Amino acid sequence: GQANSTPRLWEEKIIQYYMRHVDLLPEEAELEFLRIIEDLEMYGVTYFKIRMSGKVNKDSMMWLGVDAYGLNIYDSQDKLAPESVLPWCDIKNVYYSDKKFTVDTVKNTEPFLVDFIFYSSTPATNKIILALCVGNHELYIKRRREGGFPELE
């Protein structure tokens, strides 16, 4: 996978891509670049360090990933394979108070049998997370109306 690639492998891959696209017009090369990065595992995910409890405990540190599909919870050592996934279609409401962030679910599905609660480092971080959630959810609703992302319906 991409996460296990060494800097040397990345360098070789970049050189290969460059050699394949050296004859393209700048606009064509930019479009091809965008196609390539869309295939990266972490493309489109914004990560935030969170704690799963109110206590400061090294074991409770996790990553929250916000993307076009929903919210993902990752182990603190692995940003590629989420431990838990909560798609937008299962999220009823999101809100925060100070450093506490709450996600209300539509239905009681595993592993979120109750509201999903986590803590960020600052209220400002939660404000950013909320804005990303609202924006991504609005785009999700728009895509559903237009027939995009059929695997989520």
Side-chain angles (χ1 to χ4, degrees):
Q2 296 159 355
N4 300 328
S5 294
T6 65
R8 179 71 188 137
L9 288 173
W10 276 109
E11 186 178 330
E12 289 172 10
K13 199 173 231 182
I14 290 168
I15 291 170
Q16 289 171 0
Y17 282 130
Y18 174 79
M19 296 306 289
R20 253 189 277 162
H21 302 103
V22 72
D23 294 329
L24 295 178
L25 295 172
E27 298 82 11
E28 294 171 326
E30 189 172 331
L31 282 174
E32 189 56 33
F33 170 76
L34 291 172
R35 285 188 198 103
I36 291 167
I37 63 168
E38 284 177 345
D39 289 337
L40 295 175
E41 294 162 342
M42 295 167 65
Y43 175 77
V45 182
T46 305
Y47 295 94
F48 298 91
K49 273 195 172 186
I50 61 168
R51 289 188 324 275
M52 298 308 291
S53 70
K55 300 181 188 109
V56 176
N57 176 344
K58 195 172 192 171
D59 295 336
S60 71
M61 297 304 278
M62 306 285 280
W63 288 104
L64 170 73
V66 182
D67 66 19
Y69 299 97
L71 301 177
N72 304 304
I73 306 302
Y74 301 84
D75 180 79
S76 63
Q77 305 298 313
D78 181 6
K79 289 184 181 177
L80 291 178
E83 290 187 354
S84 302
V85 176
L86 190 55
W88 292 122
C89 61
D90 288 346
I91 296 174
K92 179 171 48 174
N93 193 18
V94 293
Y95 54 94
Y96 73 95
S97 176
D98 196 39
K99 296 178 184 179
K100 179 180 177 181
F101 199 100
T102 304
V103 179
D104 291 336
T105 58
V106 172
K107 50 191 169 198
N108 294 333
T109 57
E110 288 285 347
F112 305 101
L113 295 177
V114 294
D115 293 341
F116 173 57
I117 297 171
F118 63 85
Y119 297 82
S120 70
S121 57
T122 66
T125 300
N126 276 344
K127 185 176 181 180
I128 294 167
I129 294 170
L130 180 65
L132 277 171
C133 287
V134 169
N136 274 293
H137 187 263
E138 286 174 358
L139 290 172
Y140 162 76
I141 296 297
K142 184 177 179 180
R143 282 190 305 272
R144 282 192 65 168
R145 284 191 200 122
E146 296 171 0
F149 284 174
E151 69 274 12
L152 295 180
E153 296 179 5

